[in-house]
Amino acid sequence: MIVIKFLGIIIFSIIKELMLRKRPVENGFTLSRWTIQVKLIGITSLILLFFISGIIILTTYFFKNDSEVRIKENSLKVAQLIGHKVRSDFNSIVEKSMILANAMAFEKITEEKKEELQKLFFRNDKNFVYLGVFKEQGRYLKSIRNTYNLDYILENRLEESDLERLVYLHANVLQKAFNGEVVLHNVSQGFPFPIIAISVPYLDMEGEKSILISLLRVEKILNVFDSSSHIKAFMVNSSGIAITHPDANLVLSSSNLSDTPLVERFLNNKAGNGQMRYKDKRTGEYYLGSYAKVAFADAGVMTYIPENIALEEVYNIQKRNLYILAIALCSAILIVLYFAKSITGPVLSLVDASRSIEKGVFKLDIKPQTRDEIGLLTNSFLTMGLGLEEREKVKSILGSMIDPVVVKEAMKDLATLKRGNEKIITAFFSDVASFSTISEKLTSAELASLLNEYLSAMTIILKEHEGVLDKYIGDAIVGIFNAPVEIESHSLKAARASVRMMEKLKELRTYWSSKNLYCREAQLMDIRIGLNTGTAKVGFMGTDALASYTMMGDTVNLAARLEAAAKDYGVNILISEAMQRKVDEVMHCRHLDLVRVKGKNEPVKVYELIGEKANLESSLIESVQLYEEGIRYYLMRNWKVAIQKFSESEKVKGKTDKAVKLLLERCEEYTKNPPPEDWDGVFTRTHK
């Protein structure tokens, strides 16, 4: 084991050292830690392991099976020999018992002679404890005559009644001899010494049916089970009760061993002999066991040996083979490692060169070291570095002009982006309110600084929510969600981005005011956002020489109109009905109006996007509910109730609401000059 551990440490150290030369690389790609050297070592090791371990496994398997068969056969022979000896001993016991019983019943022998005969019998065979003849009396036994080993009784401080009590306690088993059976039973339970009983059919001198019961010390047959080998033996009767066992407590307690796999097989198998490998339920260890039926009272002799002891030599051979395998494996690794350096040296140089390229260093300080395929690969690396340097320059220029997501997708498949396609997108338009007034109050440098600070903050939020920048138009921002890359819940992400932009603008205004930056108008800057979701044409639009990635279609036009219409209602974020349906579960929206924007014939329901439902105050929610009730009464031409609801909405809101003012003016106008009967509630905007 020490040799294997030492060799294992060497192998592990070599492989670890080789693997540490590989490190994860950026750009989402992870280099394998399995270097060429490790792979060569691994392949060689696998081949050696496969063949040598295969040989070890096969030889161990066959040797183990052969050893197991031989051990089982030897164990069975031991069980059979013990069985023959035990049967002979038991037959001798029965024969001696019959002789003494007949002598006790012989009327011509005087009582004195009988007593001398009994003493001589017990003196010659001290293992006999008791002998009695019984007749059947209902379910009980009736003693006809009996005799005791008085020396044994005195030596162990017993009474004659103690032995009789043993007989009567186990009468239900012993009286089976009346049916012609020979009974072997352990009657030790509750008795201070191991005692076995033999009950056999008996015909006395008068020819009457009775049984002869002998009580014997277990030592009578124990010498047969003594063995200097590792094979242990024990004996059970036909019910599985221990007659002898290496564990004396099992005999003394008359334990039933029928739950032991070996005894269970013996009791259930009609064959006289058998072998098996089994697992001990108490210790969890495996054993090789055999059993042989004794041609006496259907008893059985069991022999067993722990598997680890029985197959100890098999495992020793296996260990020696593993030592050989480890030595061969280490030798192969060292040889392969020596020859692999001629390959891995140039390869590692190329690895370092590739890392330099990833860091943006395209002028490589390497030279071909060989004139084989590795040298050719090195030369190609040098050429590739020069080409990548030019490509990186182009990518850098494009990255400052076009959204990086678009650049990345264009690098993958420019042809597809040029062809364009129709996709369901969310269009984003934002604009600064009264920007011309702000620009008049600032110098060119201040205006540029303000725009850069504002546009940077808003664009970062747009990108954080997976939006793509289409273009800047002065202070306006145009964005696309869900193109060119598919994103989940793009409408909700666009809505959250818009709400976050309003929060960020508030932070910027606070910062500008605290630092007294720019002008008062800039410190009060407000923006308007228009959102719409639907199908649009997306792709590179323009000429072959000059084109930009953008979006076109009614969905886009409506988003632009909504951004402009937000000014009429005095809201920051105006969205379409299609957008509202996508975000309604998470975002709180207010139904503002039903309008017909310029350039479209179909009326559009417009909504104010207020914020996430979980973050709104109850007063604001109540205000929205009152306003929407006012809209319902407005469309029902109930101007009076509509005016009441609108007024209550503004009051609950706690500040001036331009949308309320706009609808109140319409209601008052319609009160004086009612619209025609076919009026559908749509308000037509005549300007963008």
Side-chain angles (χ1 to χ4, degrees):
M1 289 305 293
I2 295 174
V3 175
I4 290 180
K5 287 181 180 179
F6 179 71
L7 294 174
I9 291 171
I10 294 175
I11 296 171
F12 178 76
S13 300
I14 293 172
I15 294 176
K16 182 179 179 182
E17 175 64 26
L18 295 174
M19 290 178 68
L20 287 176
R21 296 181 184 180
K22 291 274 186 176
R23 293 296 185 189
V25 191
E26 297 178 358
N27 301 325
F29 182 76
T30 304
L31 289 175
S32 171
R33 291 185 177 272
W34 298 96
T35 64
I36 291 176
Q37 286 177 314
V38 172
K39 289 179 180 177
L40 288 173
I41 292 172
I43 292 170
T44 306
S45 302
L46 285 175
I47 292 172
L48 284 173
L49 282 172
F50 179 77
F51 285 104
I52 298 180
S53 61
I55 293 171
I56 292 173
I57 290 171
L58 289 174
T59 54
T60 303
Y61 173 78
F62 289 116
F63 185 39
K64 180 181 177 181
N65 281 355
D66 182 66
S67 299
E68 189 173 320
V69 169
R70 292 178 183 276
I71 291 167
K72 285 180 179 178
E73 289 176 352
N74 186 39
S75 176
L76 180 60
K77 287 180 181 178
V78 171
Q80 290 173 335
L81 287 173
I82 293 174
H84 289 311
K85 184 64 173 67
V86 168
R87 180 187 61 186
S88 176
D89 287 348
F90 281 143
N91 287 334
S92 175
I93 290 169
V94 172
E95 185 177 347
K96 289 180 180 179
S97 300
M98 290 286 189
I99 292 172
L100 181 59
N102 290 335
M104 290 168 58
F106 197 57
E107 295 179 354
K108 294 183 178 181
I109 300 177
T110 63
E111 291 299 325
E112 291 180 359
K113 289 288 185 180
K114 289 181 181 179
E115 186 175 343
E116 289 179 7
L117 184 62
Q118 292 173 22
K119 289 180 180 180
L120 180 63
F121 177 83
F122 288 120
R123 189 179 304 116
N124 291 334
D125 197 338
K126 296 181 179 180
N127 290 309
F128 273 92
V129 176
Y130 170 85
L131 186 68
V133 177
F134 294 86
K135 287 187 178 181
E136 192 173 19
Q137 191 174 38
R139 292 182 300 170
Y140 304 100
L141 293 177
K142 181 181 179 182
S143 177
I144 303 302
R145 53 187 170 273
N146 50 45
T147 182
Y148 307 87
N149 186 337
L150 297 177
D151 292 338
Y152 180 84
I153 291 174
L154 294 174
E155 181 182 345
N156 292 280
R157 299 178 181 179
L158 299 175
E159 300 289 339
E160 294 179 357
S161 59
D162 292 333
L163 298 177
E164 292 180 359
R165 181 171 55 85
L166 284 181
V167 173
Y168 289 112
L169 280 174
H170 299 275
N172 60 329
V173 176
L174 299 176
Q175 65 185 3
K176 291 180 180 178
F178 285 115
N179 299 325
E181 299 180 28
V182 176
V183 179
L184 175 64
H185 191 55
N186 185 342
V187 296
S188 303
Q189 189 173 15
F191 202 71
F193 311 103
I195 298 292
I196 59 173
I198 298 176
S199 178
V200 296
Y202 176 72
L203 291 175
D204 59 12
M205 295 296 183
E206 299 173 357
E208 292 188 15
K209 185 178 180 181
S210 57
I211 61 174
L212 177 61
I213 298 176
S214 304
L215 298 184
L216 303 100
R217 294 193 301 169
V218 174
E219 286 81 356
K220 174 69 178 177
I221 57 173
L222 276 184
N223 61 328
V224 182
F225 291 86
D226 290 338
S227 175
S228 59
S229 68
H230 294 295
I231 298 177
K232 303 296 181 182
F234 65 95
M235 183 177 179
V236 297
N237 66 5
S238 60
S239 300
I241 296 174
I243 302 300
T244 67
H245 199 280
D247 185 353
N249 291 327
L250 296 179
V251 178
L252 196 59
S253 61
S254 301
S255 297
N256 192 317
L257 304 180
S258 58
D259 61 340
T260 304
L262 186 61
V263 177
E264 184 180 3
R265 175 73 67 85
F266 160 71
L267 295 175
N268 295 329
N269 198 340
K270 294 181 179 179
N273 306 314
Q275 306 162 324
M276 69 178 296
R277 175 178 180 265
Y278 67 94
K279 181 178 181 182
D280 189 272
K281 297 178 181 178
R282 292 172 294 177
T283 64
E285 295 182 1
Y286 283 93
Y287 291 84
L288 302 179
S290 302
Y291 60 87
K293 284 195 175 182
V294 180
F296 186 88
D298 289 332
V301 174
M302 315 289 137
T303 55
Y304 65 95
I305 181 172
E307 188 179 62
N308 60 334
I309 295 176
L311 303 177
E312 184 177 6
E313 188 56 33
V314 176
Y315 298 137
N316 288 335
I317 294 173
Q318 188 179 49
K319 287 178 184 178
R320 289 193 288 271
N321 289 335
L322 290 175
Y323 293 152
I324 295 171
L325 172 61
I327 293 170
L329 192 59
C330 280
S331 302
I333 288 173
L334 293 174
I335 294 171
V336 171
L337 181 62
Y338 175 77
F339 286 104
K341 287 184 178 180
S342 62
I343 298 174
T344 56
V347 170
L348 289 174
S349 297
L350 290 177
V351 170
D352 293 334
S354 66
R355 288 181 177 175
S356 298
I357 289 175
E358 289 171 357
K359 294 176 181 178
V361 180
F362 300 104
K363 292 182 179 179
L364 305 175
D365 187 20
I366 58 171
K367 293 181 180 180
Q369 299 177 15
T370 60
R371 293 185 176 274
D372 53 16
E373 291 84 355
I374 301 295
L376 180 62
L377 179 61
T378 305
N379 191 57
S380 298
F381 248 74
L382 292 169
T383 305
M384 180 186 69
L386 296 175
L388 287 174
E389 186 176 16
E390 293 299 319
R391 183 177 178 183
E392 193 65 23
K393 289 178 182 178
V394 175
K395 185 178 177 182
S396 178
I397 294 170
L398 287 174
S400 63
M401 300 171 62
I402 305 174
D403 190 291
V405 174
V406 178
V407 174
K408 185 177 179 181
E409 292 301 309
M411 298 291 284
K412 291 180 181 177
D413 191 355
L414 180 59
T416 300
L417 295 186
K418 279 187 174 182
R419 285 197 304 269
N421 62 330
E422 283 195 351
K423 292 186 69 175
I424 296 176
I425 64 159
T426 297
F428 172 95
F429 283 82
S430 74
D431 195 12
V432 177
S434 304
F435 185 72
S436 57
T437 303
I438 296 173
S439 61
E440 291 173 358
K441 299 289 182 74
L442 299 175
T443 65
S444 298
E446 289 175 331
L447 183 60
S449 176
L450 174 65
L451 271 178
N452 286 336
E453 191 171 356
Y454 162 73
L455 292 175
S456 295
M458 298 301 117
T459 305
I460 289 172
I461 294 172
L462 183 76
K463 300 299 294 178
E464 285 176 347
H465 292 78
E466 301 184 66
V468 172
L469 178 65
D470 184 329
K471 63 179 74 70
Y472 297 122
I473 307 174
D475 60 290
I477 301 174
V478 181
I480 312 171
F481 287 81
N482 204 43
V485 179
E486 296 275 349
I487 60 172
E488 293 184 4
S489 307
H490 54 88
S491 298
L492 181 59
K493 289 179 179 177
R496 282 176 166 158
S498 301
V499 172
R500 176 62 188 134
M501 286 179 183
M502 298 309 304
E503 294 172 353
K504 185 64 179 178
L505 179 62
K506 185 177 179 181
E507 295 172 8
L508 290 174
R509 288 197 299 251
T510 302
Y511 175 74
W512 293 335
S513 298
S514 65
K515 300 295 182 180
N516 197 24
L517 298 175
Y518 309 120
C519 61
R520 181 62 179 168
E521 286 77 6
Q523 294 168 6
L524 298 175
M525 179 193 292
D526 202 6
I527 62 174
R528 298 185 297 269
I529 297 174
L531 297 174
N532 186 28
T533 187
T535 304
K537 175 80 171 179
V538 291
F540 276 102
M541 310 293 177
T543 65
D544 292 338
L546 184 62
S548 63
Y549 189 84
T550 188
M551 53 184 174
M552 298 178 64
D554 287 343
T555 297
V556 181
N557 295 335
L558 179 56
R561 298 290 186 272
L562 291 173
E563 180 271 315
K567 179 180 179 181
D568 296 345
Y569 298 96
V571 299
N572 294 111
I573 308 172
L574 195 63
I575 65 174
S576 65
E577 183 180 9
M579 183 75 183
Q580 184 268 342
R581 286 198 296 267
K582 294 287 186 181
V583 303
D584 186 54
E585 289 186 5
V586 179
M587 311 301 288
H588 202 77
C589 304
R590 177 171 64 151
H591 179 199
L592 285 176
D593 202 358
L594 183 64
V595 299
R596 185 178 287 108
V597 298
K598 189 173 182 180
K600 290 184 69 70
N601 294 323
E602 293 296 323
V604 178
K605 278 186 178 182
V606 294
Y607 292 80
E608 177 192 9
L609 177 62
I610 299 173
E612 296 203 33
K613 292 182 177 181
N615 300 330
L616 297 184
E617 297 178 358
S618 58
S619 59
L620 184 56
I621 296 173
E622 183 182 357
S623 173
V624 170
Q625 292 173 345
L626 289 169
Y627 182 92
E628 291 183 339
E629 288 180 17
I631 283 289
R632 286 198 295 274
Y633 284 109
Y634 167 77
L635 295 175
M636 293 166 57
R637 305 167 70 103
N638 191 338
W639 319 118
K640 183 177 179 181
V641 177
I643 290 171
Q644 178 186 346
K645 295 296 181 182
F646 287 137
S647 300
E648 290 178 4
S649 171
E650 186 177 43
K651 183 177 179 181
V652 171
K653 191 173 185 180
K655 61 181 180 179
T656 302
D657 190 335
K658 190 174 180 180
V660 169
K661 299 297 183 186
L662 182 63
L663 269 296
L664 285 174
E665 289 176 3
R666 288 192 208 164
C667 288
E668 290 171 357
E669 176 63 27
Y670 288 148
T671 301
K672 297 176 183 178
N673 301 302
E677 291 297 327
D678 60 350
W679 178 74
D680 57 3
V682 179
F683 177 77
T684 302
R685 296 184 80 249
T686 57
H687 56 284
K688 290 185 179 180

